């Protein structure tokens, strides 16, 4: 067993022991995620929610009117999006639990109109939208039965996925959009294993869409990742590479061709 494999095994054992100890302390009657739940992704989603909440709390009400890092969206639009995304993922979780189809959104037009309306809410109501939606989603996750985690639901992009995918979908939203609030959040705040999974997620997204990408990623201190048939080598710290791959700029990166290449969108 390699050192990396041994560390991963130790982490998994430590997490299981920590969950068991928490249950002993909380006693009978406490409610927990099902054993079949995606515990790693749920932990990421919950810590990312706390990260987003902290960055949001640092902003004054007037600062919500200022631009986010997403073109055409103010911070108000971004907070509304994250709040309504929580509600949309709650609908998928309810679908898995009840078997009754409840799509994320009725249409792309409905989603966009919802965000636009949400961006006009008073600041307090906008903050409550985020807070209440994340609590509702977390309750649905916690109470989802074992078998329901593998029930199939459909994403807004039309992909059929098991309900466990909702934890990863939320992880992406809260962590990356915390940076998009543009008040000091950084990909350098992300856990390394989350950065590695985000990198893999971008590559999976390209593959699903049939994007023909040929390049080599060279994260500092880690093995290179060959994409497609390989191509220009883009080097830099892992947080900077992931920021670029997710469409948020190529700062501090270098390329073997002298210019960092254009890449397809993430999703």
């Amino acid at each position: 067993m390699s050192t990396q494999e041994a560390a991963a095994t130790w982490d998994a054992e430590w997490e299981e022991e920590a969950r068991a100890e928490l249950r002993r302390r909380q006693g009978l009657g406490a409610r927990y995620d099902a054993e079949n739940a995606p515990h790693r992704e749920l932990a990421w989603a919950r810590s990312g929610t706390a990260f987003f909440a902290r960055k949001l709390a640092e902003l004054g009400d007037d600062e919500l009117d200022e631009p986010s890092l997403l073109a055409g969206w103010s911070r108000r639009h971004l907070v509304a999006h994250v709040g309504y995304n929580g509600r949309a993922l709650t609908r998928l979780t309810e679908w898995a639990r009840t078997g009754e189809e409840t799509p994320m959104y009725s249409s792309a037009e409905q989603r966009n109109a919802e965000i636009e309306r949400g961006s006009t809410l008073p600041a307090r109501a906008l903050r409550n939208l985020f807070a209440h939606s994340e609590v509702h989603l977390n309750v649905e996750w916690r109470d989802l039965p074992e078998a329901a985690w593998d029930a199939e639901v459909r994403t807004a992009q039309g992909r059929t996925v098991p309900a466990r995918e909702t934890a990863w979908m939320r992880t992406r939203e809260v962590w990356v959009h915390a940076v998009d609030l543009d008040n000091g959040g950084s990909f350098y705040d992300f856990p390394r294993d989350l950065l590695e999974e985000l990198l893999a997620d971008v590559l999976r997204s390209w593959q699903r869409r049939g994007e023909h990408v040929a390049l080599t990623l060279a994260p500092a201190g880690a093995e290179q990742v060959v994409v497609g048939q390989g191509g220009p080598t883009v080097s830099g710290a892992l947080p900077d590479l992931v920021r670029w791959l997710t469409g948020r700029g190529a700062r501090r990166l270098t390329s073997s061709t002298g210019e960092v290449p254009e890449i397809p969108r993430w999703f």
Side-chain angles (χ1 to χ4, degrees):
M1 180 182 295
S2 68
T3 302
Q4 187 175 16
E5 290 171 334
T9 299
W10 186 89
D11 286 344
E13 292 174 349
W14 181 88
E15 287 178 7
E16 181 56 38
E17 289 175 4
R19 284 199 295 270
E21 177 59 26
L22 177 63
R23 291 173 182 176
R24 283 193 292 271
R25 291 202 308 271
Q26 291 182 329
L28 296 176
R31 296 154 75 184
Y32 308 98
D33 299 326
E35 288 297 325
N36 188 38
H39 297 290
R40 181 185 68 161
E41 288 76 9
L42 286 171
W44 280 338
R46 288 161 178 159
S47 59
T49 296
F51 180 47
F52 186 96
R54 175 161 55 86
K55 302 313 294 181
L56 176 58
E58 291 170 0
L59 292 169
D61 289 351
D62 291 344
E63 292 177 299
L64 296 177
D65 296 324
E66 297 175 7
S68 73
L69 291 181
L70 297 181
W73 271 13
S74 68
R75 287 167 171 156
R76 286 179 158 277
H77 288 88
L78 188 58
V79 176
H81 164 61
V82 172
Y84 287 126
N85 170 266
R87 290 187 177 178
L89 292 174
T90 297
R91 288 192 285 273
L92 290 190
T93 309
E94 291 170 342
W95 178 352
R97 176 172 52 81
T98 66
E100 180 178 347
E101 183 172 338
T102 47
M104 291 185 71
Y105 309 100
S106 61
S107 67
E109 292 75 19
Q110 177 263 323
R111 170 187 176 275
N112 294 338
E114 185 175 60
I115 293 170
E116 196 62 42
R117 286 195 305 273
S119 72
T120 68
L121 290 170
R124 183 175 180 179
L126 191 59
R127 295 177 190 275
N128 285 340
L129 167 64
F130 164 71
H132 293 169
S133 65
E134 69 93 358
V135 169
H136 189 184
L137 175 59
N138 202 45
V139 168
E140 286 292 330
W141 276 338
R142 185 195 60 201
D143 293 344
L144 199 62
E146 295 281 350
W149 280 106
D150 293 315
E152 290 189 340
V153 295
R154 189 172 59 254
T155 71
Q157 290 77 36
R159 291 196 302 123
T160 299
V161 299
R164 63 181 55 255
E165 185 79 5
T166 59
W168 174 244
M169 293 164 68
R170 187 60 171 173
T171 295
R172 296 183 309 199
E173 294 287 336
V174 288
W175 279 100
V176 176
H177 286 325
V179 175
D180 291 334
L181 284 172
D182 194 22
N183 66 318
S186 166
F187 282 83
Y188 281 84
D189 295 315
F190 293 22
R192 185 174 181 86
D193 56 352
L194 173 57
L195 289 169
E196 292 169 345
E197 188 61 27
L198 282 167
L199 185 153
D201 191 73
V202 173
L203 303 189
R204 289 193 297 264
S205 179
W206 290 348
Q207 186 176 41
R208 281 195 302 267
R209 297 201 311 268
E211 302 281 5
H212 298 291
V213 183
L215 55 83
T216 300
L217 304 173
E223 293 184 5
Q224 293 187 352
V225 179
V226 178
V227 183
Q229 300 300 311
T233 299
V234 180
S235 305
L238 181 60
D240 293 322
L241 283 169
V242 173
R243 184 184 62 239
W244 171 60
L245 290 168
T246 57
R248 285 154 175 84
R251 295 188 302 279
R252 294 188 291 269
L253 299 180
T254 60
S255 172
S256 59
T257 60
E259 185 174 343
V260 176
E262 293 291 326
I263 55 175
R265 63 181 172 84
W266 177 14
F267 65 89

